[in-house]
Amino acid sequence: MSISKTYLPKEAEEKWYSYWLQHKFFRSVPDDREPYTIVIPPPNVTGVLHMGHMLNNTIQDVLIRRARMKGKNACWVPGTDHASIATEAKVVAMLKERGIGKKDLTRPEFLDYAWEWKEKYGGIILEQLKKLGASCDWDRTCFTMDEELSAAVIDTFIHLYKKGWIYRGVRMVNWDPQGKTAVSDEEVIRKEVNQKLYYIKYNVVPDELSMMSESLATHHSPLTTHYLTVATTRPETIMADAAICINPNDERYLHLHGKKVFIPLIGREIPVILDEYVTMDFGTGCLKVTPAHDLNDYELGQKHKLPVIDILNDDGTLNEKATILIGEDRFAARKKIAVLLEEAGALDKVEEYKSQVGFSERTNAVIEPKLSMQWFCKMDEMAKPALDYVLNGEVKLIPEKFINTYRHWMENVKDWCISRQLWWGQQIPAWYLPNGEYVIAKTVEDALVEAKKLTQNPSLTTQDLKQDEDVVDTWFSSWLWPISVFDGFKDPDNADINYYYPTNDLVTAPEILFFWVARMIMAGHEFRGEAPFKNVYLTGIVRDKLGRKMSKSLGNSPDPLDLIEKFSADGVRVGMLLCSPAGNDLMFDESYCEQGRNFANKVWNAFRLVKGWEVDDKLANPNKIAINWFESRFNQALVEIEDDFAQYRLSEALMATYRLVWDDFCAWYLEMIKPVYLQPIDCETYIRTISFFENILKILHPFMPFITEELWHDELFGGRTEKDCCIVAQLPDNGEVNTHLLNDVETVKLVITQIRNVRNGKQISPKEILSLSVKANSAINYDQFEPVIKKLGNVDSLTKVADKPGGAISFLIATDEFFIPFSENIDAKAETERLQKEKEYLNGFLKSVNAKLLNERFMSNAKPEIIEAELKKKTDAEAKLKILDESLAGLAT
């Protein structure tokens, strides 16, 4: 059966993915094999595939496919995250289009709509991952609000509450006025924005003594001015001011110690307080303290026992405590209050100003620091063992540079605000009594029992209890992910959790190292007594070729599905990995995907070439050297690739595979053995070449699953059974490496390359047969390589000589001199210039080698084999220089 001239990836991708699913190659159940487990970082149900997902899931699929081919029981658990804030925003928007407001619905009615949205849109991203070739066990697909997973969240809450690690209290939180909920630190995106800096005058409240002094003075000195000036970007919060703070050492304001000032427009008196927290050389040296609307101000207010005045409603509008502009949006109020201040003579000046502002990742609303009654989880006791796992190496972070970041976070951990003012999510299991007391229980029936105990009131009914309206933070479900996906809470001794836990590798982004990874380690320790994974591979950020982070707003992020359509799934996978060393950002360019597609075409064309050869059983094998060389080179590459994978250098592992296939196999081996046009090949060479190709498909498969599976089933390899597929083919075992042969062939390749360079330089046709002679100064036996040199260099003979023949072009390979007779007169001047340049380079090289060998520190610290290598470099360079001097002397005569 013939093979198509060009590779048709779309057909292959659809065919083989369906085939793998049909025959359950992705399915995993516990057995006697060694397990290899990955749990997917669950993407949000609101999400669609973006470049970060492409990178992350390509890496996971490479690891899982390779484990499968190493005979392990590979299990990749997929799933999605319910993404409370983002999903609720999507549902609210959907309802708005239908003319329905959330406030018009009961909670159960809203949740019905939410589940409707989830069922329609929530699985899109997982379906898109299939286009990439993701070999997840789709039968195990989980959702963080599945019944069993939600039950685990509630059980966890109750468990930690009983330990005293969950509590309720008023704290400063990140508030999203659009989502009307608290958000976690990782859901706040800080952006540099252009703002205005308003310099506002606060009149000093006069006392009796200062009024008398003023009446006697004819001029005001700077120390007796009527006001002080404060610079702020948020003039709309002055109505919430509780004090003005100055540094006690600031001589400019000594006269204000113990004074009070009036808040402009509203005339409320506030004290001037002293604290070294204020930097004297920043701004005016005066700080307005607004405890309800700034975290640092809150802590300062606590220290000085200042009142907390919250002037903002949950939606970001001003409330009655503001006394003016009530009901105005905070940003509209900012503009209006600036006008009012100016009209009142209280605005000194306005300057343009750039500063960092926090935005909600989910709604893009500007975050408000807000004091709020929330549920918190204590982190200090859980953080210590989670830090120890990483520091003692039980959990390895790859690359290790992130250990210090992790340590810093864990040693400075703060309590976790786990409540969200939403309906979509797991509802907090707190039940309130009419008097404000509460009990924690899984169900209202359990809560009633607890409430009766608490109140000693046996007549209470469930009607007397009201469940907390809030839900827990989405991360409070995803931190249980490696346990809950194997039902490790409901049934902590089941076969799956005992077999698959702890998992092996986690692949995720560094920005959630603390917010997700660390918390999973905490949960693993608390509920299973061991970490949930052994290795954490931290990917970089996908950036464009200009170094900008890819985003929809910049328009610099390609649609991954468009890339797959254009370059094939294999091409995109290769393209993503070519430029993605662990932990480092990757500068993505479509040219990498084009390179991946070209690589697939190279493999396809190489296969077509081999398949097109006719075989003659009667021919002897003339290619033993080529076969032995490639076998050794393949085994050498296997060791290199295995080491790269062991060190999680996936990009390097791909490059090693790429070089082996493109350079060694296609560019050299196939050229060495290729029969003359329209002539047959011997049977032994053909069989060995097919075997090499089969092994190449195996090591390529984790990176390029579709083209390898397509070629694997070609008739060239004989009949395949239904389950005899590349996806489960065992990776080749390491074989012997003939280092001596490899080194000799590298020299032979240099000889052939130099012959070709001479042809190009002298514009000699590749078809013109040349003669070649060698003055061998090394121990290489060129006789055994003569057939290869003659074939690939298109020379008629390789003659050994003792002296340089006249009228010949020469070149050096190591210490061996090669000569090509040339009928035209040699340009002595040009040849002299070429040799002088080579001599200049060698003198510089020899100088650097000698500098190392004369360095006492190097000689005393370097390993013996390194010193030996440097000594060999010195000997070789000196031998080459001697030969060059002889050649130059010959040209001079």
Side-chain angles (χ1 to χ4, degrees):
M1 184 177 71
S2 62
I3 183 172
S4 67
K5 185 176 181 180
T6 57
Y7 174 48
L8 303 173
K10 191 170 184 181
E11 292 180 11
E13 288 161 10
E14 291 175 355
K15 173 174 66 177
W16 291 114
Y17 202 86
S18 297
Y19 190 90
W20 293 328
L21 285 175
Q22 178 188 346
H23 292 86
K24 299 190 178 299
F25 284 116
F26 306 160
R27 181 71 177 133
S28 174
V29 293
D31 59 24
D32 294 334
R33 290 175 293 169
E34 176 187 347
Y36 176 84
T37 316
I38 294 179
V39 293
I40 201 170
N44 292 344
V45 288
T46 58
V48 292
L49 202 62
H50 59 59
M51 297 304 288
H53 293 134
M54 291 282 281
L55 172 63
N56 185 289
N57 288 283
T58 295
I59 291 168
Q60 289 177 84
D61 196 49
V62 168
L63 292 172
I64 210 79
R65 285 179 181 272
R66 182 173 165 80
R68 196 180 283 124
M69 297 178 75
K70 289 176 78 71
K72 297 179 182 178
N73 189 344
C75 179
W76 183 10
V77 182
T80 49
D81 188 288
H82 63 275
S84 293
I85 299 172
T87 305
E88 185 145 327
K90 293 279 188 183
V91 176
V92 168
M94 176 188 76
L95 291 172
K96 187 177 181 180
E97 290 178 0
R98 301 181 186 181
I100 304 171
K102 178 185 173 183
K103 64 180 183 301
D104 301 324
L105 300 173
T106 64
R107 187 183 196 117
E109 288 171 342
F110 178 84
L111 290 176
D112 285 342
Y113 283 113
W115 281 107
E116 174 194 327
W117 187 94
K118 185 268 177 185
E119 292 305 316
K120 185 174 181 180
Y121 300 106
I124 289 175
I125 192 166
L126 297 184
E127 290 304 310
Q128 290 175 325
L129 283 177
K130 294 176 182 179
K131 298 288 186 184
L132 185 66
S135 56
C136 303
D137 184 348
W138 299 108
D139 292 341
R140 291 183 177 273
T141 302
C142 291
F143 177 50
T144 50
M145 275 184 62
D146 285 343
E147 185 177 347
E148 297 299 336
L149 276 69
S150 288
V153 171
I154 302 306
D155 288 341
T156 298
F157 188 102
I158 295 170
H159 168 85
L160 296 177
Y161 178 80
K162 287 179 178 178
K163 290 191 74 167
W165 290 359
I166 284 181
Y167 64 93
R168 188 170 182 256
V170 176
R171 298 286 187 277
M172 185 72 74
V173 298
N174 301 307
W175 186 261
D176 179 343
Q178 186 171 325
K180 298 179 186 175
T181 179
V183 297
S184 57
D185 289 342
E186 73 278 8
E187 291 166 324
V188 177
I189 308 300
R190 303 205 68 81
K191 305 176 188 177
E192 187 175 83
V193 298
N194 294 318
Q195 297 196 93
K196 294 185 185 300
L197 194 60
Y198 301 84
Y199 288 79
I200 303 173
K201 299 176 184 178
Y202 287 69
N203 287 329
V204 178
V205 176
D207 56 29
E208 190 173 331
L209 181 60
S210 64
M211 291 173 68
M212 290 175 58
S213 301
E214 185 178 332
S215 66
L216 297 172
T218 55
H219 294 90
H220 296 303
S221 73
L223 297 182
T224 58
T225 53
H226 290 292
Y227 62 86
L228 57 77
T229 305
V230 175
T232 180
T233 59
R234 305 189 64 197
E236 72 278 7
T237 64
I238 64 171
M239 295 83 77
D241 287 350
I244 299 295
C245 189
I246 57 176
N247 191 301
N249 303 310
D250 195 332
E251 294 184 358
R252 295 172 297 174
Y253 301 117
L254 291 175
H255 66 292
L256 294 178
H257 291 194
K259 301 288 187 180
K260 292 184 178 182
V261 296
F262 292 113
I263 297 175
L265 302 181
I266 65 172
R268 179 161 53 80
E269 293 183 16
I270 55 174
V272 175
I273 62 173
L274 309 177
D275 200 293
E276 291 186 351
Y277 169 77
V278 177
T279 305
M280 290 186 287
D281 58 358
F282 182 78
T284 65
C286 299
L287 174 73
K288 64 190 286 296
V289 183
T290 316
H293 299 290
D294 182 273
L295 177 59
N296 294 321
D297 287 9
Y298 175 73
E299 293 175 354
L300 199 59
Q302 293 289 98
K303 179 179 178 181
H304 292 272
K305 297 181 172 56
L306 299 175
V308 177
I309 306 166
D310 186 351
I311 63 167
L312 290 177
N313 295 314
D314 288 349
D315 62 357
T317 57
L318 272 61
N319 62 32
E320 62 280 353
K321 291 180 183 177
T323 69
I324 59 173
L325 302 175
I326 297 169
E328 292 281 356
D329 176 76
R330 53 190 169 148
F331 296 119
R334 179 177 300 177
K335 292 179 181 179
K336 290 183 178 181
I337 208 165
V339 174
L340 294 174
L341 286 168
E342 188 167 20
E343 290 174 349
L347 187 62
D348 186 43
K349 62 179 177 178
V350 179
E351 293 179 347
E352 297 298 322
Y353 185 70
K354 283 188 176 181
S355 66
Q356 294 282 325
V357 174
F359 289 79
S360 171
E361 183 184 30
R362 304 306 179 195
T363 66
N364 204 37
V366 174
I367 289 296
E368 280 291 342
K370 181 177 174 63
L371 279 173
S372 180
M373 176 67 78
Q374 302 286 344
W375 289 93
F376 293 87
C377 182
K378 294 179 181 179
M379 302 297 284
D380 48 358
E381 290 189 56
M382 285 192 281
K384 188 180 185 309
L387 175 58
D388 290 341
Y389 279 115
V390 170
L391 296 184
N392 66 25
E394 288 184 66
V395 175
K396 291 183 172 61
L397 301 186
I398 303 156
E400 292 183 347
K401 68 179 183 180
F402 287 106
I403 292 176
N404 287 335
T405 304
Y406 183 86
R407 182 208 296 265
H408 174 75
W409 278 338
M410 301 302 278
E411 289 179 343
N412 297 277
V413 69
K414 295 180 181 179
D415 288 355
W416 174 14
C417 175
I418 59 172
S419 47
R420 298 291 180 266
Q421 288 63 57
L422 302 164
W423 282 351
W424 177 245
Q426 290 93 4
Q427 194 170 355
I428 287 175
W431 307 81
Y432 296 93
L433 284 82
N435 64 1
E437 290 184 294
Y438 62 84
V439 294
I440 302 298
K442 191 166 187 176
T443 65
V444 68
E445 290 79 16
D446 293 343
L448 181 60
V449 173
E450 295 298 320
K452 287 179 179 179
K453 289 180 186 176
L454 178 67
T455 62
Q456 296 297 305
N457 181 0
S459 63
L460 285 175
T461 70
T462 56
Q463 299 302 312
D464 298 313
L465 301 176
K466 178 177 172 54
Q467 188 173 1
D468 196 305
E469 288 286 316
D470 291 354
V471 298
V472 292
D473 179 14
T474 305
W475 296 104
F476 198 82
S477 57
S478 59
W479 77 322
L480 309 177
W481 188 247
I483 305 173
S484 58
V485 295
F486 297 116
D487 204 14
F489 287 94
K490 179 183 177 183
D491 187 3
D493 199 34
N494 75 77
D496 277 2
I497 193 76
N498 288 336
Y499 182 73
Y500 293 113
Y501 188 96
T503 65
N504 295 78
D505 296 322
L506 179 75
V507 182
T508 191
E511 56 261 35
I512 55 173
L513 176 58
F514 172 72
F515 304 109
W516 188 46
V517 177
R519 287 170 178 166
M520 283 191 288
I521 298 174
M522 294 177 194
H525 178 78
E526 177 65 19
F527 296 106
R528 298 293 301 180
E530 57 184 330
F533 29 70
K534 300 180 180 73
N535 305 291
V536 181
Y537 182 104
L538 296 158
T539 64
I541 296 171
V542 184
R543 300 184 182 275
D544 65 16
K545 57 186 176 182
L546 299 178
R548 301 174 303 175
K549 185 175 179 179
M550 287 189 168
S551 69
K552 290 181 180 178
S553 59
L554 286 176
N556 63 345
S557 182
D559 184 327
L561 297 183
D562 289 345
L563 288 177
I564 291 173
E565 181 73 23
K566 186 175 181 181
F567 298 110
S568 80
D570 288 337
V572 173
R573 290 165 66 105
V574 169
M576 295 300 294
L577 289 176
L578 280 174
C579 53
S580 59
N584 293 319
D585 293 354
L586 67 98
M587 305 304 173
F588 178 79
D589 188 280
E590 282 196 16
S591 61
Y592 288 114
C593 296
E594 184 178 9
Q595 186 178 353
R597 179 187 63 188
N598 293 345
F599 186 38
N601 290 337
K602 185 75 172 179
V603 173
W604 186 265
N605 290 332
F607 187 84
R608 287 183 65 241
L609 174 70
V610 172
K611 187 172 181 180
W613 291 337
E614 290 188 15
V615 182
D616 188 338
D617 295 341
K618 298 175 183 177
L619 290 177
N621 177 9
N623 299 306
K624 285 185 170 57
I625 285 291
I627 291 169
N628 291 339
W629 163 72
F630 185 75
E631 183 174 31
S632 258
R633 177 66 193 100
F634 185 87
N635 289 333
Q636 182 188 48
L638 278 186
V639 174
E640 183 182 347
I641 293 164
E642 186 69 36
D643 183 61
D644 284 333
F645 270 105
Q647 302 298 320
Y648 291 85
R649 298 190 298 255
L650 271 66
S651 183
E652 289 86 345
L654 172 60
M655 282 308 304
T657 308
Y658 185 99
R659 288 191 299 268
L660 173 71
V661 176
W662 190 296
D663 297 339
D664 297 312
F665 186 71
C666 296
W668 286 105
Y669 174 74
L670 291 182
E671 291 300 313
M672 288 177 186
I673 67 162
K674 184 170 66 175
V676 176
Y677 183 61
L678 295 180
Q679 296 299 308
I681 192 170
D682 68 281
C683 186
E684 184 182 350
T685 299
Y686 193 65
I687 291 171
R688 293 299 301 276
T689 302
I690 291 171
S691 176
F692 288 150
F693 218 123
E694 189 172 57
N695 279 334
I696 282 171
L697 293 180
K698 291 178 182 179
I699 62 171
L700 275 175
H701 180 82
F703 303 109
M704 308 174 78
F706 292 109
I707 190 172
T708 51
E709 195 70 83
E710 178 74 8
L711 293 176
W712 182 266
H713 292 270
D714 189 90
E715 62 184 6
L716 182 69
F717 297 111
R720 300 282 191 197
T721 61
E722 187 178 62
K723 293 292 185 74
D724 182 6
C725 292
C726 195
I727 189 174
V728 288
Q730 295 300 290
L731 286 171
D733 294 323
N734 293 346
E736 291 185 9
V737 177
N738 186 334
T739 306
H740 183 74
L741 175 61
L742 290 174
N743 292 337
D744 285 355
V745 170
E746 285 306 306
T747 300
V748 169
K749 287 161 67 176
L750 289 173
V751 172
I752 294 164
T753 300
Q754 283 287 31
I755 295 171
R756 291 170 177 172
N757 289 342
V758 169
R759 288 183 184 276
N760 293 334
K762 297 298 181 181
Q763 296 183 333
I764 302 171
S765 168
K767 296 181 180 179
E768 183 176 334
I769 299 174
L770 301 176
S771 296
L772 181 69
S773 55
V774 57
K775 180 184 177 184
N777 300 305
S778 69
I780 295 179
N781 178 12
Y782 285 104
D783 291 342
Q784 63 176 328
F785 301 111
E786 184 173 357
V788 173
I789 295 172
K790 287 169 67 176
K791 181 177 185 178
L792 298 188
N794 195 18
V795 296
D796 57 3
S797 62
L798 176 60
T799 308
K800 292 180 181 176
V801 296
D803 298 300
K804 176 182 178 179
I809 298 171
S810 65
F811 58 85
L812 274 174
I813 302 295
T815 57
D816 297 333
E817 297 176 85
F818 292 84
F819 310 99
I820 298 175
F822 198 54
S823 56
E824 299 178 17
N825 291 327
I826 299 295
D827 186 337
K829 183 179 178 182
E831 187 69 4
T832 299
E833 287 179 358
R834 185 183 70 80
L835 294 175
Q836 285 286 10
K837 284 182 180 179
E838 193 169 346
K839 181 179 176 182
E840 185 179 337
Y841 166 78
L842 276 171
N843 276 323
F845 176 77
L846 184 60
K847 184 178 179 180
S848 67
V849 172
N850 283 330
K852 276 188 181 180
L853 294 173
L854 292 172
N855 186 315
E856 290 184 11
R857 180 179 292 180
F858 172 79
M859 294 300 288
S860 60
N861 293 329
K863 294 179 180 179
E865 58 268 27
I866 294 177
I867 295 175
E868 185 180 344
E870 293 299 320
L871 288 169
K872 186 176 187 308
K873 289 178 186 177
K874 173 182 168 70
T875 303
D876 288 349
E878 288 171 342
K880 285 184 178 181
L881 283 167
K882 182 180 178 182
I883 294 167
L884 286 171
D885 285 336
E886 291 172 356
S887 298
L888 286 166
L891 286 168
T893 57

